[in-house]
Amino acid sequence: MKSRSVRVQVDEQGRWILPPEVMRRYGLAPGAAFNLEEIDGEGLFLRPSPLALSRIYVEPTNLCNLDCSTCMRNVWDEPLGRMSAATFDRILQGVRQFSPRPLIFFGGFGEPLAHAEILGMVKAAKDTGAEVELITNGILLDQSTASRLIDLGLDRLWVSIDGATPQSYADVRLGDELLRVLANLERLRDLRQQRGAALPRLGVAFVAMQRNLGDLPEVLRLGRQL
């Protein structure tokens, strides 16, 4: 858990004066009420306003290029499709009503990169001033897509890796794509380094199950390597 020091002034009436960036980060508009939590021996802790929206999850599509054995899609009878531009525009209109902006997370039961307009959606989300994250299985992360995500300043790219060997990966994902996924991530890393870019940060999502738990140490190693 990261920590930082914030300088707070107290005026002649004993009122606290918080820096503007702290006010924005915690949703403290003039007149807002908030709680300070007192922990013995530790001090006072400021919690975000209960009226501040932390994040929203946007599912661009429930289509996917994989057929994982653990996926909810195996037991439902929902129609498949992609989010329309009109629906997404309404979501962004709502996002703009909040200050600070909530984090926008692209994910769900589908593969976000399977949506033909996902890069434009990421750009529109970033243009609201919100932090933006996206989760992918990494298979569709070709050079053009990786380059564009760097240009757009995607804040974090999460990649699902549920096995550290082609065999264990295929056991869960029902497709032998691990080597391609790792190559795509290495290319993203190299492109980012070549441009001197700090974003997107990389996160690895691992669903721990009895059948793959032994792979977890190696997945951690892959994460550090990438």
Side-chain angles (χ1 to χ4, degrees), residues 17 20 55-56 73 101 103 131 133 137-138 157 168 179 183:
I17 303 175
R55 67 176 58 200
I56 64 168
R73 290 153 40 91
R101 302 282 191 261
L103 184 149
E131 288 191 32
E133 299 185 359
N137 57 44
L157 180 73
S168 60
L179 296 181

Side-chain angles (χ1 to χ4, degrees), residues 201-214:
R201 297 183 297 274
L202 179 65
V204 175
F206 179 86
V207 179
M209 297 168 282
Q210 188 174 21
R211 64 204 296 176
N212 71 350
L213 189 57

Side-chain angles (χ1 to χ4, degrees), residues 61-124:
T61 179
N62 58 6
L63 293 165
C64 189
N65 56 323
L66 286 177
D67 187 23
C68 302
S69 60
T70 57
C71 185
M72 175 72 73
R73 290 153 40 91
N74 293 320
V75 294
W76 72 4
D77 189 24
E78 295 289 334
L80 300 178
R82 296 178 175 87
M83 180 177 288
S84 69
T87 297
F88 186 60
D89 286 344
R90 288 186 61 193
I91 292 172
L92 295 188
Q93 289 174 19
V95 167
R96 294 187 186 97
Q97 303 305 310
F98 286 88
S99 181
R101 302 282 191 261
L103 184 149
I104 300 174
F105 187 98
F106 289 102
F109 291 121
E111 165 56 46
L113 295 185
H115 194 298
E117 302 301 324
I118 187 59
L119 296 177
M121 296 170 81
V122 170
K123 181 182 186 304

Side-chain angles (χ1 to χ4, degrees), residues 151-196:
D151 291 340
L152 293 173
L154 178 72
D155 292 279
R156 189 180 298 273
L157 180 73
W158 292 94
V159 183
S160 297
I161 301 179
D162 292 335
T165 67
Q167 295 76 25
S168 60
Y169 179 91
D171 181 47
V172 176
R173 295 290 177 183
L174 304 184
D176 187 9
E177 299 284 1
L178 179 62
L179 296 181
R180 182 197 298 188
V181 171
L182 296 180
N184 288 346
L185 295 178
E186 289 170 353
R187 181 172 53 215
L188 172 67
R189 177 199 61 197
D190 294 344
L191 286 171
R192 191 182 60 186
Q193 291 176 349
Q194 291 167 14
R195 300 183 185 186

